Amino acid sequence: MSSSLARRIAGLMSVAAVVAGCGTAGAPVGAATDAAARVYVAPGHYDEMYAFLSGGFSGNVTVYGLPSGRLLQQIPVFSQYPEKGYGYSEQTKAMLNTSYGFIPWDDAHHPQLSITNGKSDGRWLFINGNNTPRIARLDLTRFETEEIIEIPNSSGGHGSPFLTDNSGYVVSATRFSLPTPQRDMSIKDGEFGGMLSFVKVDSATGRMRLAFQIHVPGYDYDLSRSGKGPSKDWSFFTSYNSEQAKTLLESNASQKDKDYIAAVNRVAAEQCVASGRAKDWTTPYAHNTVGEDGVARSEILRSQKVLEIADCPGLVYFLPTPKSPHGVDVDPTGEFIVAGGKLATVIPVHSFSKLQKAIADKAFDGELGGIPVLKYEAIIAGEVENPGLGPLHTEFDGKGFAYTSVFISSEIIKFSLTDFKVVDRVPAYYSIGHLMIPGGDTEQPFGKYVIALNKITKDRYLPTGPELTQSAQLYDITGDKMKLLLDFPTTGEPHYAQAIPASLIKDRQQKTYSLADNRDPHVTKAEKDVKVVRQGTKVHVYMTAIRSHFLPDMIEGIQVGDSVFFHVTNLEQDWDVPHGFAMLGAQNAELLVMPGQTRTLTWQPMRAGVYPFYCTDFCSALHQEMQGYLRVSAKGASVPLAWNGGAGTLGK
């Protein structure tokens, strides 16, 4: 480290210590200095990890650096995003199609990094849409959404999109049970059903397809994890509302002492499907993909393979779990299945080996909906006592310890997987939901940190009216005791997160799109090829952008009532030189066009006049000069179509 850099760090540490000492009565100066040093990333230096946080009701994914907490990127997924033109441009609109039509928003909850050989590999990120059940796959060489598949026969895709061994499947569970198949039915007296869905992931391309679904009793299925090692062929789903209440669930769904984890034998399911025991259902669902030409296309599919419990014995077992369980998490060895009962006074830890023995011994306590209920005493490895109020979700450090978020008492507890004793606890500020350890859901956790994803911030930041920012908190877990290092604000509600060492992603980044390989059907690869083409009331403008001008940048002959398609190709091949495009009166959004890429904006002129367009992304010293004009005449006017550039003559 240079002496000047050392002096700057020392100065920063001194300021942090003074601020900590002045702002919080009794705050230890040494602790503040140590925390600041651990999260400080010098200007021009990189964070050691990427963290991917769900954007909740924003419908998107946010990317932060760790340990600094710096916001690096927002990736649009399920919601229109004007900054990038996502969901507005003709190339991306199809990503938001569903069987219900064009739905430009969702509630994104659970990012999930792809895994190979039990470890996060940095290839793809999956995330669920909770409202209209969907699973998206993001390509991490470009940090862009590449595919979205809708989940049929479901509502509230909350228990999703958790991966099985080697990213073989992403799974999804319906939170809100429904009439299955969907139909008009009495809410009060109707018999609802649930659905557990298994979406196959191609190991080379990541391409998803719905493989099969399992029709289960009409509970509310909440979260999921799949097994590891000895349990790798199983998937586990928490459920609550075994009372099957339809109203005032806060009381009516909390009557029983125990609810259930559904343990699914995935190999048995595959065998049942292969032997022809699945029923064919025909509920429509959308599958949206980005093609090799960079254009998204949507297909409505109508066929699903659905397994009924009665047709496939040994497929599903219920693990009794107190009470209204939220999270279900499997430790790195694959032996322990930890549940978080929101109203429970203990954290139950089930044993996979005991589960197997209980099945072999038929240690059942009756059945529900044809599903055997295993005896609690036969499968329990131990109970964590005095965990706090409202345990939710658990992750693991790979060193024999588990960390659980506790909502009501706003804390994180650490307990031993050897004797299930609590060994440490720290407060979270405030009302923690999920937590995340980098790789903490895999066979090989990266450890080092735990992040609390908090629901309420109150006095943590400057006030911003009735709505306050959401919050994440970074804790060091390298020692025996957890240490709070950093608060940082987040975008949307951060339900869950995943993190990975930057070295697994940053060196594989695609920095530009190859102009030579651009296959967009409306690409213009050279300025000599720009043109404007009328097809009835549709006018196609084949435009180029390069520092610091558009061509054409003078266009006449457009009429009121036309639909104008601006096909803008960025001719740059340098990294980090995007161009923007915005049109006066556009009712959709701007475009943000990456180097070598083509994007299309549709514009309908409402009245005659001269309309400017311009670059919205600062690209050079002459960025302000990067503009143009388009003339709109009355419908039926005799003004000929003309432009400058290419074969056009206007302005010469």
Side-chain angles (χ1 to χ4, degrees):
M1 180 184 297
S2 70
S3 58
S4 60
L5 178 58
R7 286 193 298 272
R8 288 199 297 271
I9 293 176
L12 177 69
M13 300 303 100
S14 298
V15 171
V18 170
V19 170
C22 293
T24 305
V29 172
T33 302
D34 179 62
R38 288 171 182 260
V39 301
Y40 179 71
V41 177
H45 289 243
Y46 294 152
D47 281 281
E48 63 179 296
M49 289 187 177
Y50 289 99
F52 300 90
L53 276 63
S54 67
F57 35 71
S58 78
N60 299 325
V61 169
T62 52
V63 186
Y64 295 84
L66 294 182
S68 73
R70 297 182 294 194
L71 176 63
L72 304 178
Q73 186 60 276
Q74 295 191 56
I75 309 174
V77 183
F78 298 114
S79 296
Q80 287 180 304
Y81 194 64
E83 178 186 323
K84 302 176 189 294
Y86 179 86
Y88 296 99
S89 72
E90 297 301 314
Q91 287 84 352
T92 60
K93 282 182 179 177
M95 293 303 286
L96 302 179
N97 287 343
T98 76
S99 64
Y100 300 94
F102 181 78
I103 297 185
W105 71 279
D106 216 310
D107 183 18
H109 277 228
H110 304 126
Q112 183 74 48
L113 287 161
S114 54
I115 51 177
T116 300
N117 296 326
K119 188 174 184 178
S120 301
D121 58 28
R123 292 189 296 166
W124 307 307
L125 182 79
F126 299 86
I127 192 166
N128 63 321
N130 188 36
N131 181 66
T132 305
R134 291 178 272 184
I135 296 174
R137 179 174 58 84
L138 284 59
D139 184 302
L140 293 184
T141 64
R142 302 190 306 276
F143 281 51
E144 292 181 355
T145 302
E146 191 166 74
E147 182 179 14
I148 297 177
I149 188 169
E150 185 182 354
I151 306 299
N153 309 310
S154 296
S155 177
H158 192 261
S160 174
F162 300 101
L163 282 162
T164 67
D165 183 57
N166 276 322
S167 305
Y169 293 92
V170 283
V171 304
S172 182
T174 183
R175 175 180 168 190
F176 310 116
S177 290
L178 296 169
T180 44
Q182 181 69 283
R183 59 198 183 276
D184 184 13
M185 178 185 290
S186 164
I187 296 176
K188 179 177 181 293
D189 301 319
E191 183 177 346
F192 290 3
M195 198 68 73
L196 309 179
S197 302
F198 289 77
V199 176
K200 188 67 176 173
V201 178
D202 184 274
S203 60
T205 65
R207 182 72 176 257
M208 297 183 288
R209 65 174 177 84
L210 180 60
F212 58 88
Q213 298 182 293
I214 302 173
H215 193 196
V216 289
Y219 308 154
D220 289 40
Y221 295 86
D222 199 5
L223 285 173
S224 177
R225 288 291 191 197
S226 294
K228 309 175 179 73
S231 58
K232 67 182 179 62
D233 295 331
W234 291 71
S235 294
F236 305 94
F237 302 82
T238 51
S239 67
Y240 61 96
N241 192 22
S242 53
E243 297 86 351
Q244 300 190 62
K246 307 290 179 54
T247 181
L248 297 175
L249 266 62
E250 64 177 341
S251 58
N252 292 331
S254 303
Q255 300 298 310
K256 296 183 179 180
D257 183 55
K258 290 184 174 65
D259 287 290
Y260 303 99
I261 292 172
V264 177
N265 185 332
R266 200 168 58 253
V267 172
E270 292 170 335
Q271 292 171 346
C272 286
V273 173
S275 64
R277 283 179 273 174
K279 302 286 197 304
D280 291 318
W281 289 27
T282 56
T283 308
Y285 64 102
H287 187 198
N288 311 326
T289 56
V290 176
E292 293 184 356
D293 57 2
V295 178
R297 294 173 177 84
S298 183
E299 179 183 13
I300 297 294
L301 305 175
R302 298 184 181 274
S303 177
Q304 309 97 49
K305 297 290 185 185
V306 178
L307 291 170
E308 298 288 353
I309 296 298
D311 297 331
C312 198
L315 176 60
V316 183
Y317 297 89
F318 276 147
L319 285 57
T321 302
K323 183 176 183 185
S324 295
H326 182 61
V328 56
D329 299 282
V330 181
D331 86 302
T333 71
E335 167 62 12
F336 296 125
I337 305 153
V338 182
K342 298 190 293 290
L343 303 178
T345 58
V346 298
I347 298 175
V349 181
H350 299 300
S351 161
F352 182 73
S353 57
K354 288 188 174 184
L355 179 152
Q356 294 291 88
K357 185 177 187 303
I359 292 172
D361 294 344
K362 298 190 181 328
F364 302 147
D365 195 7
E367 64 175 41
L368 292 170
I371 298 174
V373 178
L374 297 171
K375 291 184 177 180
Y376 184 77
E377 296 76 13
I379 60 173
I380 196 73
E383 293 178 336
V384 181
E385 297 182 353
N386 301 315
L389 301 175
L392 293 182
H393 173 228
T394 300
E395 293 213 342
F396 309 91
D397 63 6
K399 300 177 180 178
F401 294 97
Y403 299 72
T404 299
S405 57
V406 187
F407 177 77
I408 297 174
S409 51
S410 289
E411 58 185 326
I412 299 173
I413 67 160
K414 173 183 178 181
F415 66 89
S416 168
L417 291 171
T418 302
D419 58 11
F420 310 118
K421 302 289 188 183
V422 175
V423 297
D424 190 24
R425 60 199 325 140
V426 293
Y429 305 100
Y430 301 97
S431 297
I432 180 176
H434 283 261
L435 52 68
M436 179 273 288
I437 292 173
D441 63 324
T442 71
E443 293 181 36
Q444 302 177 58
F446 301 108
K448 193 166 186 178
Y449 304 113
V450 63
I451 291 182
L453 301 163
N454 302 325
K455 306 300 184 186
I456 297 172
T457 56
K458 289 190 182 295
D459 56 0
R460 302 303 288 181
Y461 305 104
L462 287 172
T464 53
E467 183 186 8
L468 301 179
T469 183
Q470 305 285 333
S471 177
Q473 293 184 297
L474 182 73
Y475 296 80
D476 172 61
I477 59 170
T478 56
D480 292 336
K481 300 294 184 180
M482 293 175 275
K483 295 180 180 179
L484 176 61
L485 301 179
L486 180 71
D487 285 17
F488 59 96
T490 61
T491 299
E493 183 181 354
H495 290 268
Y496 183 49
Q498 296 258 275
I500 193 172
S503 59
L504 295 176
I505 294 180
K506 71 179 181 66
D507 295 335
R508 297 189 292 108
Q509 293 303 287
Q510 180 175 331
K511 298 180 177 180
T512 65
Y513 290 89
S514 168
L515 184 62
D517 295 335
N518 186 328
R519 301 182 188 179
D520 189 286
H522 300 293
V523 63
T524 305
K525 295 186 178 182
E527 290 187 341
K528 66 181 178 63
D529 298 323
V530 303
K531 59 186 177 180
V532 182
V533 178
R534 176 176 288 280
Q535 297 174 340
T537 60
K538 295 181 178 179
V539 179
H540 295 269
V541 179
Y542 294 86
M543 178 180 286
T544 61
I546 196 167
R547 288 166 287 184
S548 297
H549 62 269
F550 295 105
L551 274 183
D553 63 3
M554 294 177 63
I555 304 168
E556 293 189 352
I558 307 301
Q559 299 182 9
V560 173
D562 284 343
S563 293
V564 183
F565 297 85
F566 293 98
H567 308 293
V568 184
T569 299
N570 183 345
L571 299 182
E572 309 281 358
Q573 290 291 265
D574 289 339
W575 188 29
D576 196 26
V577 190
H579 289 294
F581 178 85
M583 185 76 199
L584 175 63
Q587 296 180 349
N588 35 30
E590 65 172 348
L591 294 177
L592 191 62
V593 191
M594 296 298 115
Q597 189 179 53
T598 301
R599 283 289 181 259
T600 299
L601 186 74
T602 305
W603 179 69
Q604 285 87 28
M606 305 300 291
R607 53 185 183 265
V610 175
Y611 292 83
F613 52 86
Y614 68 101
C615 178
T616 55
D617 192 291
F618 203 100
C619 55
S620 72
L622 296 179
H623 164 73
Q624 293 292 97
E625 284 76 10
M626 192 169 177
Q627 65 180 56
Y629 290 100
L630 182 145
R631 176 184 174 187
V632 176
S633 302
K635 189 174 181 63
S638 59
V639 177
L641 194 66
W643 64 94
N644 66 318
T649 59
L650 185 64
K652 288 188 175 180

